[in-house]
Amino acid sequence: MPDKDKPPEARPEHPTPLRGRDEGVPAKPEGQGTSIAADIGALTKGLRTTLGEFFSPPVTLEYPEEKTPRSERYRGRHYLRRYDNGLERCIGCELCAAACPVGCILVIAAENTEENRISPGERYAKTYEINMLRCIFCGYCEEACPVQAIVLGPEYELSDTSREKFIYTKEKLLEPLPPDVQARLDAKK
Amino acid sequence: MSDIYSNPIGHWVVIAVAMTLLLFVVLTATAYTVWFERVALGRIQRRPGPNRVGPFGLMQLAADGVKLAFKESFVPEKTDKVLYVAAPAIAVAAAFLAWAVIPIGLWYNVQYWIADVNVGILVVFAVSALNVYAIVIGGYASNNKYSLLGGLRSAAQLISYEMSLGLALVPTFMIVGSLRLRDIVEYTVHWGPYVGPIPLIILTPVGFIIYLISAVAETNRAPFDLPEAEQELIGGFLTEYSGLKFVMYYLAEYVNMITVSALAALLFFGGWFLWVVPPVFAFLLKVVLFLFLYIWLRGTFPRLRYDMLMRLGWKVLLPLAMLNVIVTAIILVAVEG
Amino acid sequence: MAIAVFFVAAALAVLGGIGVVAFHQPIRSVLSLVVVMLSLSVIFLLLNAQFVFAVQIIVYAGAVMVLFLFVIALLGPARELGRGRLRFQGWLSALFVLVLLGLMWGLLQGVQYRQPDKGDLSFFGTVQSIGVGLFTTYLYPFELTSILLLVAAIGAIYLSRKRIDDV
Amino acid sequence: MSTLNIGGSQLDASWFLLLSAILFVLGAVGVLVRRNPLVILISIELMLNAANLVLVAFSRQLVNIEGQLFALMSMTVAAAEAVVGLAILVDIFRTRDAEDIDDLSEMHG
């Protein structure tokens, strides 16, 4: 049955109907309805509450100096990992680029040769770039990677001064991992 | 010390020095009132408040002032240029003029600085009445609907609350028998063995409460800050103002706050008398307590709706103030015969 | 000192008076009148009329003129059109001004001042003296003015009420 | 001529009267020349102010409080006049499309 044939009453109501004046306000309890004493009591209760808050310690963190601890699984900036012998893990399979929902990863693979061995596999990533302005930090690249070459680290303060600096190149991504992430990954092995 | 004032040349020297000094004192006090408000409001919301510039953020206002002073001083298109520039100046002038008659209890014999006129409190009212102009003209000259609405709202608010404010103080004048602020502070009672000044709040508690509410409304502070209600009027009459012109309005608001607190301390809490505390510190302490009350109220209560504001002013405070005058008069006649 | 204050205030008052007549926007006229009132209040202070000084600012400048401002803001910035249906009025008024000024000058030349009553200048013009005057000798006119104000308030409310039929 | 001793300096009473005369005449000119009813009301207020000045000046000259009392009364009258006058104005502007008082003349002759 087409929608227009429905009588207008049958349509679902607006989920939160707009409120008129004093509508939806909880009714005052009986007995202490409109007495001035109750109103003054309410006012002083408010003042007492705020005064109590005044003398309790602040709950805020002073951000640049103090930071909240990141979860173990926090997804911040990316790192490319190496094997213990110094070879790059990335084998240039481009699965990360394929998994990326926003297409921010660019991988150009090249063949490994005997003289120039960069990764243990057949190929390696000649170019590996991530556009951090596009990245949504979903972590699919990490899941897609067959050799656990790419991981997302805990850093989230990624601001910079020009758009070009947000194209993270391979050199930048190959920076050593923060020790705690390294330890976590080692423990998983 | 008192003969300084009677000597004609010394009189003018004292006045000239006092004016300059008072200007700086009030300016500094204003700056630290803003700091105090931000910190206290922060503490009420369980955050530290400004603490970056200088120790405890005490230099925050200097930083803010420099920032605002170096902003481009522009006048928007299609405004009434002359009035647009004049309005903030009126605000500041009106705010500072009141301090000409406020005795600040400097030391034991020097209780007033600039003027000790016998209609002191009326002068304060007269000058604060000029505040309306700053707001209405600022709103009108901005040529902006929100500014105009903010200006008109505030004009209505100020006029309605000025009446209650004035009437709330009448019982004090009737008891003391003088409008000179110094006489009111030095009002002496002979109660049995006790002879000396008392805080007049004991004699006029109702007047004090009416004064308190009206004063908050009169200075456009929360919960009566309808003229600038950000959520509905995008800043009211301040919408089109920026840079130094904005600073002037801001300054005027805080100077008015201090003025009203100082008046409350003088009229109801015995001004500079506080046990053995030196006068100027006693006075300062009382003013700071009132400023804290202001901030406390701002941190606690939500803004009133416009019709509530008008109802409170005209139907509750004004009749109450009149009743207070009549009852005080009856009691005075009964006591004094 | 007092003479300097008087002449500064008088000059401001006259300038303001000219402004009232000469400005084209009504809001400037209102503000010019406020300038006149403030200057006059200073002169009142010179004349030992402290209470009149305060009332002049609080009531006149602070309330009545704000009412004018209010109405101007409500009605919007109306500019006067220089239409000349009654152009001769300007010339007529110039003539009138000259005659009136001449008349007043003549009156001022021939003014004879009565000897003042005995009075204490330290008490004169204070709030107490005004109060004594208002509530003893002049109680009847005082009450009359209060009734006048009441009538005016009721009249104003009646005139500016919202009519149900023409909204 | 009579001089007033004000704050230690001598000031001729005629100065006050002259100032008042000038203000009064300016107000009268405003009433005659201007067409905006609002400005006419303002001019009337100016004339009332001028009259007040005379009252207060003579009150001081004669050291008699009556002048000041009368000035207060005239302020009350002025306030009442302004309130009613403005109410009438608002009413007129609301009901008719009038630019100035010339539009409000009902008689065409």
Side-chain angles (χ1 to χ4, degrees):
Chain A
M1 189 165 133
D3 199 30
K4 65 180 174 188
D5 288 352
K6 258 192 215 169
E9 291 84 14
R11 287 194 181 155
E13 256 186 63
H14 193 276
T16 50
L18 294 173
R19 278 184 187 153
R21 196 180 146 184
D22 294 339
E23 210 179 303
V25 177
K28 283 182 183 169
E30 287 293 317
Q32 45 175 321
T34 52
S35 82
I36 296 172
D39 287 352
I40 291 173
L43 292 179
T44 46
K45 191 180 174 192
L47 286 173
R48 237 187 3 254
T49 309
T50 42
L51 197 66
E53 297 295 321
F54 182 84
F55 287 110
S56 35
V59 293
T60 49
L61 280 173
E62 301 193 18
Y63 162 61
E65 290 93 32
E66 302 169 25
K67 289 173 187 168
T68 47
R70 296 263 81 83
S71 144
E72 238 182 29
R73 294 161 58 181
Y74 188 82
R75 300 192 296 258
R77 65 156 282 194
H78 310 256
Y79 288 97
L80 283 176
R81 294 170 68 203
R82 291 174 188 275
Y83 288 108
D84 294 338
N85 58 10
L87 285 178
E88 289 172 15
R89 280 182 175 244
C90 181
I91 52 169
C93 67
E94 294 184 40
L95 278 175
C96 49
C100 183
V102 289
C104 66
I105 305 180
L106 171 74
V107 186
I108 297 173
E111 298 285 336
N112 276 316
T113 54
E114 284 308 317
E115 308 86 74
N116 184 19
R117 172 154 293 276
I118 305 217
S119 73
E122 271 176 40
R123 306 197 301 169
Y124 73 99
K126 199 170 100 193
T127 310
Y128 197 109
E129 282 179 6
I130 299 180
N131 185 345
M132 293 307 242
L133 289 174
R134 280 199 165 196
C135 179
I136 56 170
F137 302 95
C138 60
Y140 284 4
C141 46
E142 188 175 347
E143 285 182 34
C145 189
V147 289
Q148 284 88 42
I150 187 162
V151 290
L152 274 72
E155 283 95 343
Y156 53 93
E157 292 151 316
L158 301 175
S159 55
D160 219 323
T161 48
S162 80
R163 300 181 75 85
E164 286 72 33
K165 289 181 184 165
F166 281 99
I167 313 273
Y168 279 28
T169 55
K170 198 174 152 195
E171 293 81 63
K172 182 146 189 181
L173 291 167
L174 276 169
E175 279 166 8
L177 266 75
D180 51 331
V181 181
Q182 186 69 57
R184 171 163 61 89
L185 290 171
D186 292 344
K188 224 193 275 181
K189 260 192 289 197
Chain B
M1 275 308 262
S2 58
D3 50 14
I4 278 183
Y5 293 105
S6 47
N7 171 358
I9 294 169
H11 182 73
W12 289 109
V13 169
V14 166
I15 284 178
V17 171
M19 278 176 170
T20 325
L21 218 58
L22 199 63
L23 186 70
F24 285 106
V25 168
V26 174
L27 270 179
T28 318
T30 311
Y32 287 106
T33 308
V34 177
W35 172 83
F36 180 54
E37 166 162 37
R38 291 180 63 179
V39 168
L41 213 54
R43 295 312 311 274
I44 283 175
Q45 296 161 2
R46 297 190 68 176
R47 55 189 174 82
N51 60 356
R52 294 282 135 182
V53 191
F56 305 106
L58 278 170
M59 300 305 289
Q60 180 67 40
L61 258 291
D64 282 352
V66 168
K67 179 201 123 193
L68 285 164
F70 281 101
K71 277 197 168 182
E72 183 188 354
S73 173
F74 77 101
V75 179
E77 270 306 293
K78 290 184 182 166
T79 51
D80 192 327
K81 306 265 184 306
V82 179
L83 297 184
Y84 178 83
V85 175
I90 297 173
V92 172
F96 273 99
L97 267 176
W99 280 86
V101 292
I102 291 182
I104 54 177
L106 190 64
W107 209 249
Y108 291 92
N109 276 326
V110 189
Q111 273 115 15
Y112 67 97
W113 273 20
I114 296 178
D116 187 29
V117 290
N118 60 11
V119 285
I121 186 73
L122 284 183
V123 173
V124 177
F125 279 141
V127 168
S128 74
L130 297 182
N131 257 322
V132 190
Y133 285 103
I135 294 173
V136 177
I137 293 172
Y140 177 85
S142 296
N143 200 6
N144 171 330
K145 288 189 191 79
Y146 296 102
S147 300
L148 185 66
L149 282 174
L152 290 185
R153 269 189 179 190
S154 119
Q157 177 180 337
L158 259 63
I159 291 177
S160 7
Y161 277 86
E162 211 164 63
M163 302 232 290
S164 328
L165 192 69
L167 278 176
L169 300 182
V170 170
T172 315
F173 308 148
M174 291 198 300
I175 292 165
V176 178
S178 170
L179 290 169
R180 193 192 299 263
L181 282 160
R182 197 152 60 107
D183 292 349
I184 295 171
V185 176
E186 287 172 349
Y187 177 67
T188 316
V189 290
H190 300 267
W191 284 350
Y194 179 76
V195 176
I198 52 152
L200 281 163
I201 186 176
I202 298 170
L203 299 176
T204 59
V206 181
F208 172 69
I209 290 166
I210 298 170
Y211 174 85
L212 196 66
I213 299 173
S214 313
V216 177
E218 184 75 7
T219 44
N220 286 336
R221 297 278 308 173
F224 302 101
D225 55 346
L226 285 137
E228 354 180 335
E230 298 92 350
Q231 290 85 350
E232 34 193 305
L233 287 177
I234 21 174
F237 62 92
L238 283 169
T239 307
E240 299 287 348
Y241 282 94
S242 65
L244 268 183
K245 294 190 219 38
F246 176 79
V247 172
M248 287 165 92
Y249 269 124
Y250 200 65
L251 182 72
E253 180 184 332
Y254 280 85
V255 173
N256 282 332
M257 227 170 106
I258 303 176
T259 312
V260 168
S261 306
L263 272 187
L266 290 170
L267 294 172
F268 294 103
F269 284 86
W272 50 83
F273 292 112
L274 181 69
W275 203 27
V276 292
V277 183
V280 66
F281 293 117
F283 182 67
L284 265 181
L285 184 73
K286 288 170 185 176
V287 172
V288 167
L289 278 180
F290 265 96
L291 289 175
F292 178 71
L293 186 64
Y294 256 87
I295 297 158
W296 190 10
L297 290 176
R298 182 179 167 185
T300 307
F301 297 127
R303 182 183 301 130
L304 267 73
R305 211 168 48 206
Y306 193 64
D307 59 321
M308 291 172 167
L309 179 89
M310 284 295 153
R311 204 186 314 144
L312 179 67
W314 289 103
K315 290 190 179 170
V316 180
L317 291 184
L318 196 62
L320 199 63
M322 285 179 180
L323 198 69
N324 189 24
V325 172
I326 294 168
V327 170
T328 314
I330 291 170
I331 293 175
L332 272 183
V333 169
V335 169
E336 289 168 11
Chain C
M1 192 62 201
I3 292 176
V5 170
F6 171 75
F7 280 107
V8 170
L12 274 176
V14 171
L15 281 179
I18 292 171
V20 169
V21 182
F23 275 128
H24 282 289
Q25 295 113 309
I27 192 164
R28 303 245 165 133
S29 294
V30 170
L31 294 177
S32 307
L33 188 56
V34 174
V35 171
V36 175
M37 284 170 175
L38 295 183
S39 328
L40 283 187
S41 73
V42 171
I43 293 176
F44 289 163
L45 212 49
L46 287 182
L47 288 169
N48 270 42
Q50 297 104 337
F51 187 69
V52 182
F53 150 81
V55 171
Q56 167 95 358
I57 298 183
I58 296 174
V59 175
Y60 237 144
V64 176
M65 297 322 286
V66 172
L67 202 64
F68 275 95
L69 268 189
F70 220 98
V71 170
I72 288 174
L74 271 180
L75 297 180
R79 277 179 145 269
E80 234 169 66
L81 303 169
R83 283 180 308 173
R85 192 135 52 105
L86 294 170
R87 181 61 58 81
F88 64 94
Q89 260 186 351
W91 296 106
L92 209 63
S93 70
L95 196 69
F96 171 79
V97 168
L98 283 179
V99 170
L100 201 61
L101 259 184
L103 200 67
M104 288 188 169
W105 183 250
L107 280 174
L108 277 182
Q109 292 308 303
V111 139
Q112 294 289 321
Y113 293 98
R114 186 161 67 83
Q115 278 305 305
D117 301 342
K118 288 277 169 288
D120 177 15
L121 264 185
S122 64
F123 180 67
F124 177 73
T126 57
V127 185
Q128 286 87 341
S129 70
I130 296 268
V132 167
L134 273 186
F135 290 103
T136 55
T137 325
Y138 297 96
L139 185 64
Y140 181 56
F142 178 73
E143 293 299 335
L144 272 187
T145 50
S146 72
I147 291 172
L148 176 73
L149 275 180
L150 186 66
V151 170
I154 294 173
I157 293 169
Y158 174 77
L159 279 170
S160 58
R161 82 200 190 283
K162 195 179 269 180
R163 286 181 187 77
I164 290 140
D165 48 313
D166 67 18
V167 168
Chain D
M1 285 293 164
S2 166
T3 52
L4 300 173
N5 182 351
I6 289 165
S9 43
Q10 304 293 315
L11 200 57
D12 198 296
S14 300
W15 284 111
F16 294 98
L17 304 186
L18 189 63
L19 173 65
S20 162
I22 291 170
L23 290 179
F24 187 86
V25 169
L26 278 171
V29 171
V31 172
L32 288 178
V33 174
R34 299 302 299 267
R35 291 209 164 76
N36 189 326
L38 215 75
V39 180
I40 291 175
L41 269 182
I42 295 168
S43 302
I44 293 173
E45 297 286 336
L46 181 59
M47 290 158 81
L48 281 165
N49 261 288
N52 274 351
L53 178 58
V54 177
L55 288 171
V56 175
F58 271 118
S59 163
R60 172 67 173 74
Q61 158 73 22
L62 301 174
V63 196
N64 187 331
I65 202 72
E66 288 168 22
Q68 291 187 15
L69 293 179
F70 207 81
L72 289 176
M73 306 264 174
S74 99
M75 278 183 199
T76 326
V77 173
E81 170 246 316
V83 166
V84 176
L86 286 174
I88 292 172
L89 269 188
V90 170
D91 201 46
I92 287 174
F93 280 119
R94 222 193 300 172
T95 49
R96 307 175 188 208
D97 186 27
E99 286 277 328
D100 57 42
I101 45 165
D102 286 350
D103 291 338
L104 300 177
S105 70
E106 296 279 304
M107 294 199 291
H108 300 284

